[in-house]
């Protein structure tokens, strides 16, 4: 067996080991909750359960918030969503994780091997590709970050006039498995600027490259027709996003946040570059300066990462939002998401830095190898099962606790569509996953009118807590029953609240009949709530108090 084949086999074995908890433990695996189990997984399951995947432009998903617009929850042409129609939710989740890892690995491998290290360097190329495959990608992003190296590989082939049918296939496939809004609108924009600069510089239109950009853009626009219709065509729909006001940082705070984003990253763009990758790049830049080596590409990558980190921080800067009235798109389009392009840049930079250290330092081969292995070990240890076991998060099955909520549903004894529930101290996604019709929920876009109606319910609690008030009024995508005594925490166990104040009349007017509470409500009678039963199960981490609204 050749050295290359041995390294490639070892890398693939490690990827299978990384994925093994999903296949061995199944629903007893621990996975990410934030912006995952509390949202996307439930949206996709509901569309599969209600057969609304191909719903019309004016259709709604009735199970959440008295009817969430179908247009708000993604395209029916999204492969990540289609998986939930074809398979049970956890199997769909597992397959999505599998596809992301292998796309990330082979994309980075092809990119580095073809365009950066054409001869040799098998260990460096395969090791860096393995690092990228082990990144803790946001699960519902599909190839939004995982597929960036593959897309860049294809476009560099177009730029070099070396494109094949496989490159055309790549640019046509990726739009069906990634987000235009989160990352690829910025990727295409950057490629477009690059194309324009070269066209002006060489005074020659690069038609294949331009054609690839146009085709990919048109595919994204066609696939995301629902978003386009909702934002620019539908005049009867006014989204809660119209009240977005995210400019909370003063200048000093904005600079501090930019540094944090540059060093650590953001919750949807976790890179784990602060411990090994960033110091390695800094050392390589220093070596380039000392030994007069040409490291222009590494400087460009380093600078772009800094610029993108600054832009995401600038989106939350008070100065940016003073322009909101002149430029309303600031409310609905987060330009700071260009930050999603950073992971691919950081790991290309890491590969370049390792090569510089290897070819410059005494014992450079050993040092670069140890650095690469250390980063692989670090990333491997951050797989979902290990990470969330360390933080004592519930498993997938425990989080949704289907047996417990089926027992509650059976106790109520009415068709779920005939009553509405709210959740306190627990994510409303759990109730929705288990077939309840919820007034609360977490979605990217819903009617502004509904936000105002729902706010009446929690208005007494918002008056007690400025942080919660700003969180709901200035954002509001989490349309939750916020409680001053609970704050912004949604997984309570063994707690009692004593001063709950809800507008029960408003709750009843919206159809509310029951409260599913993970905390005991000491002053239930004052809120016209009647305790029905306490539900527990050994297999569930939740204790649910069922209250009926008088």
């Amino acid at each position: 067996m050749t050295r290359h084949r041995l390294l490639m086999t070892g890398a693939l074995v490690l990827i299978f080991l990384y994925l093994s908890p999903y296949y061995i433990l199944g629903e007893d695996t621990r996975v990410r909750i934030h912006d995952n189990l509390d949202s996307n997984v439930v949206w996709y399951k509901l569309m599969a359960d209600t057969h609304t995947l191909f719903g019309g432009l004016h259709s709604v998903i009735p199970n959440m918030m008295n009817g969430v617009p179908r247009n708000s929850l993604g395209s029916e042409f999204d492969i990540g969503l289609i998986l939930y129609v074809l398979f049970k939710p956890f199997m769909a989740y597992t397959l999505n994780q599998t596809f992301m890892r292998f796309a990330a690995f082979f994309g980075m491998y092809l990119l580095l091997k073809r365009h950066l290290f054409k001869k040799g360097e098998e260990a460096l190329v395969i090791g860096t590709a393995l690092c990228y495959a082990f990144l803790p990608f946001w699960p519902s992003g599909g190839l939004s970050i995982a597929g960036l190296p593959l897309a860049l590989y294809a476009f560099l082939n177009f730029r070099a006039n070396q494109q094949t049918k496989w490159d055309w296939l790549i640019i046509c496939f990726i739009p069906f498995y990634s987000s235009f809004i989160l990352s690829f609108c910025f990727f295409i924009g950057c490629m477009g600027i690059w194309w324009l600069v070269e066209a002006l510089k060489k005074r020659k239109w690069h038609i294949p490259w331009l054609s690839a950009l146009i085709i990919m853009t048109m595919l994204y626009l066609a696939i995301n027709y629902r978003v386009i219709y909702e934002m620019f065509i539908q005049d009867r729909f006014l989204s809660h996003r119209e009240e977005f006001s995210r400019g909370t940082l003063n200048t000093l705070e904005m600079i501090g946040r930019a540094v944090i984003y540059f060093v650590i990253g953001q919750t949807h763009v976790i890179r784990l570059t602060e411990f090994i990758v960033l110091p390695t790049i800094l050392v390589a830049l220093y070596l380039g300066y000392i030994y007069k080596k040409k490291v222009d590409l590494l400087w460009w990558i380093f600078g772009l990462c800094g610029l993108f980190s600054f832009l995401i921080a600038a989106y939350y800067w008070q100065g940016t939002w003073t322009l909101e009235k002149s430029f309303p798109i600031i409310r609905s389009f987060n330009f700071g998401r260009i930050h999603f392009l950073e992971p691919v840049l950081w790991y290309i930079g890491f590969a370049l830095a390792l090569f510089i250290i290897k070819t410059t330092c005494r014992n450079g081969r050993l040092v670069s190898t140890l650095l690469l292995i250390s980063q692989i070990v670090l990333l491997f240890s951050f797989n979902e099962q290990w990470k969330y076991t360390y933080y004592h998060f519930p498993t997938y099955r425990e989080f949704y606790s289907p047996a417990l909520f089926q027992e509650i549903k059976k106790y109520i004894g009415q068709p779920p569509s005939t009553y509405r529930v709210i959740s306190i101290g627990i994510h409303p996604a759990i109730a929705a996953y288990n077939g309840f019709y919820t007034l609360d929920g977490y979605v990217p876009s819903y009617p502004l009118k509904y936000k105002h109606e729902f706010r009446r319910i929690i208005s007494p609690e918002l008056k007690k807590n400025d942080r919660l008030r700003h969180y709901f009024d200035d954002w509001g995508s989490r349309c939750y029953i916020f409680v001053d005594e609970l704050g912004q925490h949604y997984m309570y166990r063994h707690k009692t609240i004593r001063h709950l104040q809800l507008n029960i009349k408003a709750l009843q007017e919206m159809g509310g009949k029951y409260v599913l509470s993970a905390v005991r409500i000491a002053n239930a009678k004052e809120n016209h709530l009647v305790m029905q039963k306490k539900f527990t199960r050994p297999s569930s981490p939740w204790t649910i108090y069922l209250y009926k609204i008088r």
Side-chain angles (χ1 to χ4, degrees), residues 307-323:
L307 174 62
F308 295 164
S309 295
F310 171 79
L311 287 174
I312 187 174
Y315 179 76
Y316 299 101
W317 179 44
Q318 293 169 352
T320 300
W321 283 81
T322 60
L323 305 173

Side-chain angles (χ1 to χ4, degrees), residues 38-88:
D38 66 351
S39 48
N40 294 71
V41 170
V42 175
W43 305 341
Y44 301 161
K45 180 181 185 295
L46 289 181
M47 280 189 276
D49 290 347
T50 59
H51 307 289
T52 52
L53 178 65
F54 294 96
L57 288 170
H58 301 286
S59 62
V60 298
I61 298 168
N63 308 56
M64 292 176 63
M65 302 166 68
N66 280 340
V68 172
R70 169 63 188 86
N71 295 340
S72 300
L73 300 184
S75 172
E76 58 267 49
F77 302 112
D78 184 336
I79 291 173
L81 201 163
I82 292 171
L83 288 174
Y84 283 80
V85 176
L86 300 177
F87 302 95
K88 291 184 177 181

Side-chain angles (χ1 to χ4, degrees), residues 147-160:
L148 286 171
L150 192 60
L152 183 56
Y153 161 78
F155 274 104
L156 288 177
N157 288 341
F158 281 106
R159 177 177 177 267

Side-chain angles (χ1 to χ4, degrees), residues 53-299:
L53 178 65
F54 294 96
L57 288 170
H58 301 286
S59 62
V60 298
I61 298 168
N63 308 56
M64 292 176 63
M65 302 166 68
N66 280 340
V68 172
R70 169 63 188 86
N71 295 340
S72 300
L73 300 184
S75 172
E76 58 267 49
F77 302 112
D78 184 336
I79 291 173
L81 201 163
I82 292 171
L83 288 174
Y84 283 80
V85 176
L86 300 177
F87 302 95
K88 291 184 177 181
F90 190 78
M91 178 52 69
Y93 186 86
T94 299
L95 292 173
N96 178 58
Q97 284 282 356
T98 304
F99 297 156
M100 284 196 301
R101 304 297 160 190
F102 281 103
F105 175 77
F106 285 109
M108 184 61 83
Y109 171 78
L110 291 170
L111 174 63
L112 297 179
K113 182 176 174 60
R114 178 77 174 268
H115 295 288
L116 283 176
F117 305 103
K118 296 184 180 181
K119 292 183 179 179
E121 307 302 335
E122 292 95 344
L124 191 155
V125 168
I126 293 173
T128 305
L130 196 57
C131 285
Y132 199 75
F134 288 161
L135 280 179
F137 300 116
W138 177 50
S140 297
L143 299 187
S144 299
I145 296 176
L148 286 171
L150 192 60
L152 183 56
Y153 161 78
F155 274 104
L156 288 177
N157 288 341
F158 281 106
R159 177 177 177 267
N161 276 318
Q162 296 173 350
Q163 68 272 10
T164 68
K165 62 182 179 181
W166 295 108
D167 300 305
W168 289 107
L169 182 62
I170 288 168
I171 67 162
C172 290
F173 171 76
I174 286 178
F176 291 91
Y177 199 12
S178 60
S179 172
F180 184 61
I181 294 171
L182 291 182
S183 63
F184 270 90
C185 64
F186 303 108
F187 176 84
I188 292 172
C190 290
M191 288 293 106
I193 292 171
W194 192 1
W195 172 86
L196 181 61
V197 169
E198 291 211 352
L200 294 174
K201 189 175 180 180
K202 298 178 179 179
R203 297 183 179 181
K204 183 179 180 181
W205 292 62
H206 197 317
I207 300 302
W209 190 3
L210 178 61
S211 299
L213 284 168
I214 292 172
I215 288 172
M216 194 177 216
T217 302
M218 296 305 293
L219 279 171
Y220 270 116
L221 293 177
I223 290 166
N224 290 278
Y225 74 96
R226 291 183 182 274
V227 175
I228 294 170
Y229 179 80
E230 185 178 281
M231 289 183 66
F232 303 110
I233 300 174
Q234 187 176 6
D235 56 357
R236 291 180 296 172
F237 178 77
L238 192 63
S239 172
H240 83 288
R241 302 175 75 89
E242 292 294 321
E243 289 188 343
F244 271 16
S245 180
R246 311 301 299 279
T248 59
L249 303 178
N250 60 39
T251 302
L252 191 61
E253 290 170 334
M254 185 267 288
I255 294 171
R257 185 74 65 87
V259 171
I260 291 171
Y261 286 143
F262 179 75
V263 175
I264 298 175
Q266 186 255 4
T267 182
H268 299 101
V269 195
I270 299 172
R271 310 181 309 252
L272 295 174
T273 51
E274 60 267 35
F275 304 110
I276 297 169
V277 175
L278 176 57
T280 299
I281 291 175
L282 290 173
V283 168
L285 290 172
Y286 176 74
L287 291 172
Y289 173 76
I290 292 296
Y291 292 101
K292 308 299 181 184
K293 280 185 168 287
K294 192 174 182 180
V295 291
D296 294 359
L297 179 57
L298 189 56
W299 274 113

Side-chain angles (χ1 to χ4, degrees), residues 429-537:
I430 298 173
Y433 183 95
N434 286 292
F436 288 94
Y437 282 58
T438 66
L439 291 176
D440 40 2
Y442 176 19
V443 293
S445 180
Y446 63 93
L448 180 61
K449 180 182 177 183
Y450 189 88
K451 179 185 176 183
H452 292 164
E453 291 175 352
F454 190 87
R455 192 190 190 283
R456 294 171 56 214
I457 300 173
I458 57 175
S459 178
E461 289 294 324
L462 296 183
K463 289 178 181 177
K464 303 177 189 177
N465 191 314
D466 279 344
R467 184 176 179 182
L468 289 178
R469 179 172 59 82
H470 284 295
Y471 184 67
F472 183 79
D473 289 347
D474 297 343
W475 185 53
S477 291
R478 285 192 191 274
C479 196
Y480 281 21
I481 299 295
F482 290 111
V483 178
D484 174 48
E485 294 172 72
L486 301 181
Q488 287 176 241
H489 184 61
Y490 320 113
M491 296 197 298
Y492 278 96
R493 308 173 197 179
H494 315 299
K495 183 177 176 64
T496 298
I497 54 176
R498 304 182 183 282
H499 306 289
L500 179 67
Q501 286 182 276
L502 297 178
N503 185 336
I504 297 300
K505 183 179 179 182
L507 177 56
Q508 289 175 319
E509 288 173 357
M510 295 184 72
K513 293 287 180 66
Y514 292 96
V515 176
L516 304 175
S517 180
V519 297
R520 192 175 70 86
I521 303 172
N523 64 333
K525 289 183 179 179
E526 296 175 20
N527 288 274
H528 304 283
L529 302 177
V530 180
M531 172 71 172
Q532 300 293 293
K533 189 178 178 182
K534 174 181 173 182
F535 293 87
T536 60
R537 269 182 175 259

